[in-house]
Amino acid sequence: MSEEIDSDNELEENYYSYLNVPKDASSEQINNAYRKLSRMYHPDKHMEAENKQKAELMFNRTKKAYEVLSDPHKRAIYDSVGEKGLRTDGWELVQRQKTPAEIREEYLRLAEAAEERKLLQSTNPRGNVTINVNATEIFSPYDESEFPRIEISSMSISQSIEAPITRTDTMTLSGNLMSSNGNGSGGFVICGRRLLNKGWLELDVGAGNGLLVGIKGGRTLSSLVTMNAGTSVNFRENGVIPGIFSTLAVQLDKHTLGSLTLNVGGQASMTTQVDRNGERHAWSTSFVIGSPHIYFSIAYTHKMIENELKLKAVAKVGTFGFMAEYGAEKKISKYSSVFAAVSIGVPTGVILKFKVIRSQQSYVFPIHLSEEIVPAAVFYATVTPVIVWFFVKKSIIDPMLAERKNIEIEKTKRTNEQRMAQKRLEAKAAVELMQHTYERIVEEEKERQGLVIVKATYGQTQESNQNEFVPEASIDVTIPVQCLVKDGTLEMFNTPKSDLPGFYDPCIGESKVLLINYMHNNANKSIVVKDTEAVRLPR
């Protein structure tokens, strides 16, 4: 909810900052903060016409912040998805007892529904390109005198697009091409899906390796149980191959889903799977009984949310042999991420996998390094992605993100030009209305030799000298900071300070600090705090 650059380049209010209360503030703290600002900004307390107009401006902002944070339902929405969540239609139908996680999911659903209404005729392209590389001669050369050969053993391309017909009907066209060892194949499928009450129905028609006709459907049986099923017929030169599948999924608890899948056809199998997805950890286990193999697999993902990094590990053992895989996925932008993993197994050997994901498109590069488990291949497969990542990050990603950030900052400034002018006007009005309160607090603090703010500056500092501010990217906030002092104590919480009364953001998108020079017990002191760092004076 901080005043940051969002995907739509719209700045958002931070009501906690404005009231100067912590994010876990109690109702009493919110009420006290509201009463304090109301005494300062209530229009009835200002007789002059000009000051009365300024007071109305600040009092309306104060009342808006209070209305949101004092209402448990509005506050839960605001805490989960920000100010934009309060402007989304449909919340009046949402239960007030929902948890923050459920509210976030509900917001996403409502936002997606609104976007669907706007972009009903748009397509949703998805694609995958996989290029398999054979580099086994690097560690097992056929001829020591020749340079190892690296070959592309196979390549596959798949793509699909959606065409919404109505709000309940969607057509999907998907196709794939594959080339391996000089032989090629491909096919396409046209799917028509209709959303029904508590379910869906889909008809598939395709061609490639013979004509394919199929029908699928799904239904929600209860709040915890869903079922999907379908059948298909593949007409080939050597005969007709029928297929049937059915999946029963049960929500075991809030984070755990269990499923049982039965496939009957060319390759029959029965799969039992349990998935658990938490905020920081995710587990998935499956047991497959099928033809030609029976195996058990387990996968674990550790989510490092602050670093936008996921660490993944997979183990699989069965009649085919065994396989272990470890890797990491790093998010490099809102829509892009990269993934690297090392796969070790019998009979597969050592495989290094690279994957680049851009929106709905993915590019996969499995590199077969060794047909056996060779320690050197395992070592280089592990080290190479790390070295490549740091090289690419420093030479390509960091400059690209820096340029993109500058573009986003300029775009945000243009988008919010009117809003920022309003914020500057509000800050100026707030400071003028604070003047009487400021003089009173300074006089009281001097009498008790308490906390007097000599000078407070907020904004961006010089790169060459962190103690000096950029003049055009900083503002004087001495009066607003002094007005936060109560009984010789100044307390600010770990929320962005640009939304405090009398403050505004002088440098959108840049790192900011607050420098406070103050006097306490007749001693001059100073402190520098980051934008979202809490501070309590005297220390």
Side-chain angles (χ1 to χ4, degrees):
M1 288 82 62
S2 63
E3 190 177 76
E4 296 177 347
I5 299 174
D6 203 355
S7 59
D8 55 4
N9 299 102
E10 183 180 347
L11 299 179
E12 291 206 335
E13 295 276 358
N14 191 304
Y15 298 135
Y16 292 101
S17 288
Y18 182 76
L19 295 180
N20 193 33
V21 294
K23 290 185 178 180
D24 59 351
S26 64
S27 298
E28 184 180 0
Q29 287 176 296
I30 293 171
N31 289 334
N32 289 338
Y34 172 68
R35 284 195 293 267
K36 178 182 177 182
L37 292 180
S38 294
R39 285 194 295 268
M40 194 183 305
Y41 299 136
H42 200 286
D44 293 345
K45 295 184 178 293
H46 302 274
M47 296 298 103
E48 302 87 349
E50 185 179 354
N51 284 347
K52 199 174 190 70
Q53 186 177 6
K54 295 174 182 176
E56 288 177 353
L57 182 72
M58 297 306 301
F59 183 70
N60 287 337
R61 188 178 175 192
T62 303
K63 189 165 64 171
K64 183 180 178 182
Y66 175 73
E67 287 175 351
V68 172
L69 297 189
S70 62
D71 185 318
H73 185 53
K74 290 182 179 179
R75 183 177 178 180
I77 296 171
Y78 177 72
D79 286 347
S80 299
V81 293
E83 186 186 5
K84 60 182 178 290
L86 299 170
R87 302 193 298 267
T88 302
D89 294 334
W91 285 114
E92 64 275 4
L93 303 177
V94 180
Q95 296 178 8
R96 291 174 174 260
Q97 292 79 20
K98 284 183 177 290
T99 65
E102 291 170 332
I103 287 174
R104 182 176 293 275
E105 292 176 4
E106 190 65 28
Y107 165 75
L108 292 175
R109 185 189 68 78
L110 292 171
E112 287 173 1
E115 190 67 22
E116 181 183 357
R117 290 193 295 270
K118 294 178 183 178
L119 305 174
L120 190 60
Q121 300 303 321
S122 66
T123 62
N124 184 22
R126 301 171 183 266
N128 176 274
V129 177
T130 301
I131 300 176
N132 289 279
V133 179
N134 187 342
T136 55
E137 284 196 26
I138 294 177
F139 296 97
S140 301
Y142 290 107
D143 189 339
E144 297 284 351
S145 62
E146 294 183 0
F147 192 79
R149 291 181 299 174
I150 300 177
E151 301 175 338
I152 295 178
S153 57
S154 65
M155 181 171 63
S156 64
I157 302 173
S158 63
Q159 187 75 31
S160 71
I161 57 172
E162 292 181 0
I165 308 301
T166 67
R167 293 187 62 180
T168 59
D169 298 315
T170 304
M171 295 292 293
T172 302
L173 174 63
S174 60
N176 66 85
L177 294 172
M178 181 173 180
S179 175
S180 178
N181 298 321
N183 297 318
S185 62
F188 73 91
V189 177
I190 299 176
C191 306
R193 172 176 289 205
R194 165 165 288 189
L195 298 180
L196 305 173
N197 184 26
K198 295 185 178 181
W200 55 274
L201 186 65
E202 180 179 294
L203 178 65
D204 301 341
V205 177
N209 190 6
L211 177 65
L212 175 69
V213 179
I215 185 170
K216 304 174 184 175
R219 184 173 177 80
T220 301
L221 303 180
S222 71
S223 60
L224 300 178
V225 182
T226 59
M227 184 173 184
N228 298 333
T231 182
S232 64
V233 180
N234 190 188
F235 299 92
R236 298 187 181 182
E237 292 183 359
N238 55 352
V240 178
I241 302 178
I244 299 175
F245 86 92
S246 178
T247 299
L248 182 68
V250 181
Q251 193 75 39
L252 301 177
D253 62 35
K254 186 176 180 180
H255 301 289
T256 309
L257 180 70
S259 64
L260 178 64
T261 301
L262 177 65
N263 278 296
V264 178
Q267 290 187 339
S269 66
M270 185 175 67
T271 304
T272 303
Q273 186 164 328
V274 178
D275 298 312
R276 181 172 180 81
N277 194 355
E279 184 179 354
R280 295 279 180 175
H281 310 277
W283 289 90
S284 178
T285 60
S286 62
F287 180 61
V288 180
I289 301 175
S291 172
H293 295 296
I294 300 173
Y295 63 88
F296 172 80
S297 68
I298 182 170
Y300 171 73
T301 301
H302 177 65
K303 306 172 187 177
M304 303 173 69
I305 299 173
E306 296 81 2
N307 300 318
E308 296 184 318
L309 179 69
K310 295 179 181 178
L311 302 179
K312 301 183 178 183
V314 180
K316 185 184 294 186
V317 61
T319 55
F320 69 92
F322 77 90
M323 185 275 292
E325 182 176 299
Y326 55 90
E329 180 178 337
K330 172 67 176 175
K331 188 175 182 179
I332 58 177
S333 71
K334 183 173 182 178
Y335 300 105
S336 303
S337 60
V338 293
F339 173 72
V342 180
S343 176
I344 306 168
V346 174
T348 55
V350 181
I351 301 174
L352 172 60
K353 299 179 182 178
F354 289 106
K355 186 176 183 179
V356 180
I357 304 168
R358 171 64 181 170
S359 187
Q360 306 280 1
Q361 306 288 326
S362 61
Y363 306 87
V364 187
F365 303 91
I367 304 173
H368 199 173
L369 297 178
S370 174
E371 295 179 350
E372 298 178 352
I373 302 178
V374 179
V378 176
F379 173 78
Y380 285 108
T382 304
V383 173
T384 300
V386 178
I387 297 174
V388 171
W389 165 250
F390 280 107
F391 173 76
V392 172
K393 184 176 184 297
K394 294 294 182 182
S395 61
I396 299 176
I397 295 177
D398 285 351
M400 179 185 68
L401 293 180
E403 182 180 0
R404 184 176 298 168
K405 179 184 176 183
N406 292 333
I407 294 173
E408 285 293 312
I409 289 173
E410 291 302 318
K411 188 175 180 181
T412 302
K413 287 179 180 178
R414 292 194 300 270
T415 303
N416 297 275
E417 186 174 355
Q418 184 176 356
R419 184 165 185 174
M420 290 310 301
Q422 177 74 9
K423 296 275 281 185
R424 287 191 289 270
L425 181 65
E426 288 181 1
K428 182 179 178 181
V431 171
E432 291 175 357
L433 296 173
M434 288 176 181
Q435 193 66 43
H436 177 72
T437 304
Y438 166 74
E439 293 172 357
R440 176 180 57 80
I441 294 176
V442 169
E443 185 177 343
E444 291 174 354
E445 293 300 321
K446 283 183 177 179
E447 286 181 1
R448 63 158 63 103
Q449 294 185 358
L451 182 62
V452 176
I453 307 300
V454 179
K455 181 71 179 291
T457 307
Y458 174 69
Q460 182 185 9
T461 56
Q462 302 277 2
E463 290 186 8
S464 56
N465 187 350
Q466 296 296 313
N467 294 322
E468 290 187 10
F469 284 85
V470 179
E472 64 274 13
S474 57
I475 55 174
D476 187 325
V477 290
T478 305
I479 293 176
V481 173
Q482 182 70 71
C483 287
L484 293 174
V485 175
K486 183 179 180 181
D487 299 329
T489 302
L490 169 66
E491 186 171 17
M492 288 185 281
F493 301 94
N494 55 348
T495 54
K497 296 170 179 56
S498 59
D499 279 303
L500 284 165
F503 283 65
Y504 66 89
D505 192 338
C507 47
I508 296 174
E510 302 293 346
S511 298
K512 293 170 281 290
V513 298
L514 174 63
L515 169 62
I516 304 176
N517 295 310
Y518 64 98
M519 182 176 292
H520 184 255
N521 289 334
N522 292 327
N524 287 312
K525 300 178 183 181
S526 66
I527 183 175
V528 177
V529 294
K530 296 179 181 178
D531 192 23
T532 56
E533 182 181 357
V535 58
R536 184 182 176 89
L537 296 178
R539 287 183 146 183

